[in-house]
Amino acid sequence: MTKGGQAPFCHERPDHMTEECAVFGVYAPGEDVARLTYFGLYALQHRGQESAGIAVGDGKTVTAVKNLGLVSQVFEETDLAALPGEVAIGHTRYSTTGQSTKWENTQPHMSSIGRQLIALAHNGNLINTADLRDDLRAHHMHLQSTTDSEAIAALIGEITQRTNHIRQAVAETMARVRGAYAVVLITEMALYAFRDPLGVRPLCLGELSDGRGWVVASETCALDIIGARFVREVEPGECIKISADGVETFLSDPDPGRRRAFCMFEYVYFARPDSIMSDLSLYEARYRMGETLASEYPVEADAVMGVPDSGTPAAIGYAHASGIPFVEGLAKNRYVGRTFIQPSQLQRQLGIRLKLNPMRFAIEGKRLVVVDDSIVRGNTTRALVQMLREMGAREVHMRISSPPVAWPCFFGIDTDTRDQLIGAHKSVEQIRAHIGADSLGYLSQAGMVAATGLPASNFCLACFDGRYPLDVSDKLAAEAAAHPGAGTAQLEV
Ligand code: AMP
């Protein structure tokens, strides 16, 4: 049973839509699982602002409420009260293509196994969705959305129906899908969580106090909000089942020594600074990136300021290492979403001024170091530098706590096509001239990786160096054909 938005219908879209999302799951009989999920999603709102959904299993069936909008807009008290149960999952979603604001693409996706239902939510992006969808159609499966996530749900539903074993269905599905996935799934009485063997997207396991139940979430900040204790990360290639029998790993990577490819952009930009990944707080990683940036690109200046919020920890690290005082020079309107996340270019351009307002006291007559986490298209940064000059800044030295983004992401962060990425086509000096800064310095890739304390082989760094952890040559070729002059990547398969 699904509630929210208009009735589903079928329409076709290409499979290259990429998206970043959050997933959450809780198994806690006797607790208000829908409300716990609601709060978990609140903490994960930064990972997706386009739609939100909760599905609950009550021992007999699975019910979902989902719609376009923020968590606070989608759910009312009456929705939560109408979702009693023992087990629940939730999802927030964003995608950056305008057309994708469709109810059908909201999650959790439901799939039927005979008269039973499962609900599934996914963070990541598959690279063989078109093949999967063709296979599913060949089995007369009716797909309502255009997402890879629905294909995963349908595949698990179809195999479970055939074999009567959900474990086998998850194992077969993991063997068939290629790409990035952190997935949570519920039946009417159990929660499953699994992660791709490269471990591209994060997923962690937590425990509610006094043995009241278990939680899985994209980031640890969602455990904190409901008072759950971090237990461990769901391992790459692992599938866990949480039920009345407790937590059980029923699939694990047969090759635990294999290369991993955790998304570096989670460290650079995406995840919340108060989350912890691989035992390191994101705040600390970003702070260290700023410290290293100061040693790689020092400059004489009067003040260091960050572009709030994602540039702030690195700016504080830069200020600390350089001895230049940190100032708050930009007031941020916190009620405006992430500018990139607004689907249309017009909204994006409006968003720059809507979101950030410079403060004269901190800026006028000053030589400024301005630290941000990344430059993707260069639009926001150019507008920002201009705004600071209009406010009387004497010099603007841009410092970026990651290397130039020069390659598209096919694994879940929509950093755009190559032709849109300023780092793909311009040298650092040309980018400096484009954004109008007095100087520009990007953190080196080695410096960025070193700030995490982990080896480079743990990460997917493809958006910086074009070395993809899976063969995406067909995707790059399609993009190169659509945008001639984009170049070819070094492939690491
Ligand atoms: P621009 O100068 O237009 O490339 O915008 C740079 C800003 O975009 C930086 O402040 C980044 O924090 C932010 N940003 C980078 N990647 C993303 C993303 N995938 N989604 C939303 N914002 C992003």
Side-chain angles (χ1 to χ4, degrees):
M1 189 172 25
T2 313
K3 173 182 169 283
Q6 75 265 37
F9 62 94
C10 195
H11 61 107
E12 283 300 307
R13 281 269 321 283
D15 77 319
H16 61 251
M17 188 173 69
T18 62
E19 57 195 69
E20 180 59 276
C21 305
V23 295
F24 182 89
V26 54
Y27 177 87
E31 300 293 316
D32 187 347
V33 287
R35 199 172 302 269
L36 289 172
T37 306
Y38 174 76
F39 288 127
L41 294 184
Y42 236 102
L44 297 169
Q45 184 74 82
H46 63 290
R47 295 180 73 88
Q49 303 171 342
E50 193 178 292
S51 71
I54 295 177
V56 170
D58 64 1
K60 295 192 194 74
T61 189
V62 176
T63 308
V65 173
K66 57 181 190 170
N67 216 337
L68 299 171
L70 299 171
V71 176
S72 58
Q73 295 166 325
V74 170
F75 303 104
E76 289 172 13
E77 182 55 41
T78 47
D79 295 315
L80 299 177
L83 286 173
E86 298 166 8
V87 59
I89 55 171
H91 187 264
T92 64
R93 169 171 193 267
Y94 101 71
S95 73
T96 52
T97 46
Q99 279 178 307
S100 66
T101 49
K102 294 280 186 203
W103 185 87
E104 292 80 354
N105 291 342
T106 59
Q107 298 193 36
H109 285 294
M110 309 288 270
S111 182
S112 55
I113 303 165
R115 292 164 69 191
Q116 264 184 302
L117 284 170
I118 57 168
L120 177 145
H122 166 220
N123 170 208
N125 198 59
L126 302 185
I127 57 172
N128 64 336
T129 314
D131 294 346
L132 295 175
R133 294 175 70 88
D134 288 349
D135 277 9
L136 286 163
R137 282 201 198 89
H139 282 89
H140 309 290
M141 297 290 295
H142 175 68
L143 298 174
Q144 292 174 336
S145 84
T146 57
T147 67
D148 48 0
S149 315
E150 189 194 19
I152 304 176
L155 202 56
I156 292 178
E158 190 264 320
I159 303 171
T160 310
Q161 182 129 21
R162 207 160 19 83
T163 62
N164 216 14
H165 289 295
I166 199 157
R167 292 174 181 227
Q168 188 172 339
V170 173
E172 276 188 40
T173 300
M174 285 176 78
R176 278 176 66 184
V177 300
R178 289 178 52 240
Y181 52 89
V183 172
V184 290
L185 179 160
I186 51 168
T187 63
E188 70 282 2
M189 58 212 299
L191 167 65
Y192 296 78
F194 54 97
R195 211 174 154 204
D196 66 78
L198 290 168
V200 179
R201 297 282 148 231
L203 193 62
C204 64
L205 172 70
E207 187 179 15
L208 292 169
S209 55
D210 305 321
R212 287 178 299 130
W214 298 93
V215 185
V216 283
S218 295
E219 292 184 34
T220 58
C221 63
L223 307 183
D224 299 337
I225 196 173
I226 55 167
R229 173 183 70 90
F230 171 77
V231 175
R232 65 176 177 90
E233 289 180 8
V234 176
E235 295 298 325
E238 181 182 15
C239 180
I240 58 175
K241 177 186 181 188
I242 307 176
S243 65
D245 299 329
V247 180
E248 177 195 358
T249 294
F250 72 83
L251 275 177
S252 48
D253 191 342
D255 179 11
R258 87 163 82 208
R259 179 204 197 292
R260 303 298 181 198
F262 187 74
C263 170
M264 179 53 92
F265 225 70
E266 295 273 353
Y267 275 92
V268 168
Y269 167 79
F270 216 83
R272 257 172 56 161
D274 52 335
S275 285
I276 292 172
M277 289 177 182
S278 296
D279 292 331
L280 180 66
S281 100
L282 274 283
Y283 183 90
E284 193 178 340
R286 289 171 190 166
Y287 182 94
R288 286 195 212 155
M289 288 175 192
E291 284 186 317
T292 311
L293 189 55
S295 66
E296 291 185 356
Y297 291 97
V299 63
E300 263 190 41
D302 304 310
V304 177
M305 55 184 250
V307 182
D309 289 316
S310 51
T312 304
I316 296 173
Y318 192 108
H320 179 250
S322 64
I324 305 169
F326 173 80
V327 296
E328 282 194 65
L330 293 162
K332 181 177 175 181
N333 182 339
R334 291 179 200 284
Y335 303 97
V336 181
R338 291 184 159 191
T339 51
F340 257 70
I341 292 174
Q342 314 303 319
S344 78
Q345 182 65 15
L346 176 68
Q347 277 170 292
R348 243 179 242 142
Q349 279 165 353
L350 268 178
I352 295 160
R353 284 265 171 187
L354 265 179
K355 202 163 99 166
L356 296 173
N357 204 20
M359 295 185 278
R360 191 175 294 278
F361 170 76
I363 293 167
E364 196 166 37
K366 303 258 170 62
R367 295 170 302 168
L368 298 175
V369 177
V370 182
V371 182
D372 204 353
D373 63 279
S374 57
I375 296 180
V376 181
R377 298 181 188 86
N379 296 339
T380 316
T381 314
R382 184 186 165 111
L384 175 70
V385 173
Q386 193 183 333
M387 226 163 47
L388 294 171
R389 290 206 189 281
E390 284 167 9
M391 198 43 78
R394 211 163 98 211
E395 291 172 15
V396 179
H397 300 279
M398 244 2 259
R399 294 293 179 269
I400 306 298
S401 58
S402 64
V405 175
W407 297 92
C409 178
F410 300 108
F411 302 113
I413 291 199
D414 193 343
T415 40
D416 229 323
T417 52
R418 274 211 95 197
D419 61 319
Q420 298 291 317
L421 298 174
I422 195 165
H425 303 285
K426 292 191 195 293
S427 66
V428 174
E429 170 50 25
Q430 287 169 329
I431 299 172
R432 183 206 61 72
H434 176 84
I435 63 175
D438 292 284
S439 73
L440 168 65
Y442 282 96
L443 180 61
S444 66
Q445 187 159 305
M448 173 178 67
V449 172
T452 67
L454 297 165
S457 57
N458 274 38
F459 291 106
C460 176
L461 297 159
C463 58
F464 304 114
D465 64 9
R467 297 170 70 85
Y468 291 89
L470 289 171
D471 183 358
V472 292
S473 44
D474 55 336
K475 307 241 167 240
L476 285 167
E479 211 182 74
H483 311 286
T488 46
Q490 303 152 268
L491 292 179
E492 185 191 293
V493 183

